[in-house]
Amino acid sequence: GAGVSQSPSNKVTEKGKDVELRCDPISGHTALYWYRQSLGQGLEFLIYFQGNSAPDKSGLPSDRFSAERTGGSVSTLTIQRTQQEDSAVYLCASSLIYRQGNSPLHFGNGTRLTVT
Amino acid sequence: SQQGEEDPQALSIQEGENATMNCSYKTSINNLQWYRQNSGRGLVHLILIRSNEREKHSGRLRVTLDTSKKSSSLLITASRAADTASYFCATVLLGANSKLTFGKGITLSVRP
């Protein structure tokens, strides 16, 4: 079956513009995660959805970042007034929910964002 | 700061040799997972070990967990050039629902 799909795969934008990144999780996966990966770094947690609600938004770096999920499926990560430090690969992952995180994450290939 | 820290940061071995990668973490966990990332791709789940387990095997992979030392190791036996990738450990903290916290990763190069 289809895996996690992210679009676009690459995005180049000018500083100050808004961008939207999209994630299509695996069908039936109720949990959805956004992570950010800067060059040579580990993954920085941004936000986690369970269904359409976000119990944990603790990783969003600033109020310029927001995310939503509709219909328990597609999620959009929006970055307003982009800054150069926002340049990174944004990874989306989904998983089944069962007790206490004992479910592996399935990752998309990411969106590489470059802010010029 | 990162919850999981892998060691070494980079490892280069000859094809056929075994590769051992270590991960240490700071606080009590529910489980620990290892992932692999090939260049330009997303992460792929390798293996999950629960806090009440000490060792787990999957094919050429062997993972150990020592909760008293707050550490885990990933052993890849009989390495192949295709094992060249970055490897990450990730932990689910006790009581932290399903949020995975990742380390910075280990770059493994397997020379043919």
Side-chain angles (χ1 to χ4, degrees), chain A residues 33 35 45-46 48 56 58-59 100-101 105, chain B residues 90-93 96-102:
Chain A
Y33 305 74
Y35 286 86
F45 171 81
L46 298 179
Y48 154 66
D56 193 341
S58 63
Q100 294 192 331
L105 267 58
Chain B
T91 53
V92 177
L93 303 185
N97 54 64
S98 297
K99 174 180 166 181
L100 245 65
T101 304
F102 286 81

Side-chain angles (χ1 to χ4, degrees), chain A residues 56-106:
Chain A
D56 193 341
K57 305 179 184 181
S58 63
L60 293 177
S62 73
D63 58 9
R64 296 187 295 105
F65 287 72
S66 63
E68 64 175 13
R69 189 179 184 194
T70 55
S73 182
V74 172
S75 176
T76 303
L77 176 69
T78 300
I79 309 173
Q80 295 178 309
R81 304 181 304 281
T82 51
Q83 304 293 312
Q84 287 184 330
E85 60 262 28
D86 299 335
S87 296
V89 176
Y90 289 82
L91 291 163
C92 174
S94 69
S95 74
L96 292 169
I97 284 283
Y98 52 97
R99 67 183 190 281
Q100 294 192 331
N102 289 331
S103 179
L105 267 58
H106 298 260

Side-chain angles (χ1 to χ4, degrees), chain B residues 58-98:
Chain B
S58 176
R60 294 184 295 112
L61 305 181
R62 174 178 166 251
V63 169
T64 61
L65 180 65
D66 187 335
T67 53
S68 66
K69 295 181 179 177
K70 292 186 168 59
S71 68
S72 172
S73 67
L74 170 67
L75 169 69
I76 303 175
T77 59
S79 63
R80 304 167 182 168
D83 295 328
T84 295
S86 292
Y87 292 80
F88 295 85
C89 72
T91 53
V92 177
L93 303 185
L94 214 55
N97 54 64
S98 297

